[in-house]
Amino acid sequence: MIAFVSGPVAALAPDSAVVEVGGIGIAVQCTPNTLSGLRMGQQTKLATSLVVREDSLTLYGFADDDERQTFELLQTASGVGPRLAQSMLAVHSPDALRRAIATSDEKALTAVPGIGKKGAQKLLLELKDRLGEPIGAPAVGAPVTSGWRDQLHAALIGLGYATREADEAVTAVAPQAEAAEGVPQVGQLLRAALQTLNRAR
């Protein structure tokens, strides 16, 4: 129904952005990765997916069409709603998810909050022929693990914090990130970082 939104970024929050379209502010739910690429006042174009519920209309925004398509395909699996699909994309890129499904990588799926061992096994079965083959070459190492600092820093700058404040917040949540099993959750770290900044102000 709404394939994309395009316009200046009017507001940023830990899990959403407001894009001004024709004088109307449209709220879009986004992953930390997508939010980290947005800047207040700058033009953006986000691919979107509208989720209609009896009591709500929620627009989810993505950096590109591949991410949106993956988000919609993930929800074809039983038990996967928009929130869980978004959590999966917050932890893994579309290609990393395709690779995890193609190689039956249970551990990659259980790194997502809300997915346990049984849930991961079920998803591997249901999504096997739906997501398609990975497009890119396997990444060397774990880019999300090593890149959480950059993602978190960029997201804080995008939210309007000064570089010094962003540096301090990243340092403050570093022990939490290093203590996390598997891949650090940038969304959770962003919330923790915002709490430390609010306390400092």
Side-chain angles (χ1 to χ4, degrees):
M1 187 179 166
I2 300 173
F4 67 87
V5 294
S6 177
V9 177
L12 286 166
D15 59 357
S16 64
V18 176
V19 179
E20 188 183 327
V21 181
I24 298 169
I26 296 183
V28 188
Q29 298 289 314
C30 303
T31 63
N33 294 350
T34 300
L35 288 170
S36 68
L38 304 180
R39 298 289 177 270
M40 287 287 290
Q42 285 189 9
Q43 287 287 325
T44 189
K45 182 178 178 180
L46 296 173
T48 56
S49 179
L50 181 66
V51 176
V52 180
R53 293 282 183 266
E54 279 182 26
D55 57 349
S56 67
L57 293 171
T58 309
L59 200 60
Y60 289 84
F62 308 94
D64 55 40
D65 288 331
D66 184 27
E67 206 172 63
R68 180 197 41 209
Q69 194 176 4
T70 305
F71 171 79
E72 290 173 349
L73 284 169
L74 288 171
Q75 291 176 75
T76 63
S78 57
V80 179
R83 286 280 176 198
L84 185 55
Q86 194 180 41
S87 292
M88 290 168 80
L89 285 165
V91 176
H92 300 294
S93 68
D95 222 37
L97 280 171
R98 283 191 284 266
R99 195 170 297 111
I101 300 294
T103 59
S104 298
D105 187 349
E106 214 175 276
K107 198 174 174 188
L109 294 181
T110 55
V112 178
I115 298 180
K117 190 175 170 64
K118 280 188 178 171
Q121 290 169 346
K122 201 167 117 192
L123 285 170
L124 288 172
L125 279 174
E126 288 196 36
L127 294 170
K128 194 79 177 165
D129 302 317
R130 296 185 200 174
L131 288 192
E133 291 299 311
I135 298 163
V140 178
V144 182
T145 308
S146 58
W148 70 264
R149 287 173 185 272
D150 295 337
Q151 288 178 21
L152 183 57
H153 195 275
L156 290 166
I157 297 294
L159 288 168
Y161 288 96
T163 304
R164 182 183 57 78
E165 290 177 308
D167 289 341
E168 287 170 3
V170 169
T171 304
V173 299
Q176 181 183 331
E178 281 150 21
E181 283 185 32
V183 179
Q185 311 298 318
V186 178
Q188 289 174 8
L189 294 175
L190 183 55
R191 280 189 285 277
L194 289 170
Q195 284 170 357
T196 66
L197 287 164
N198 289 339
R199 280 199 295 272
R201 284 189 162 184

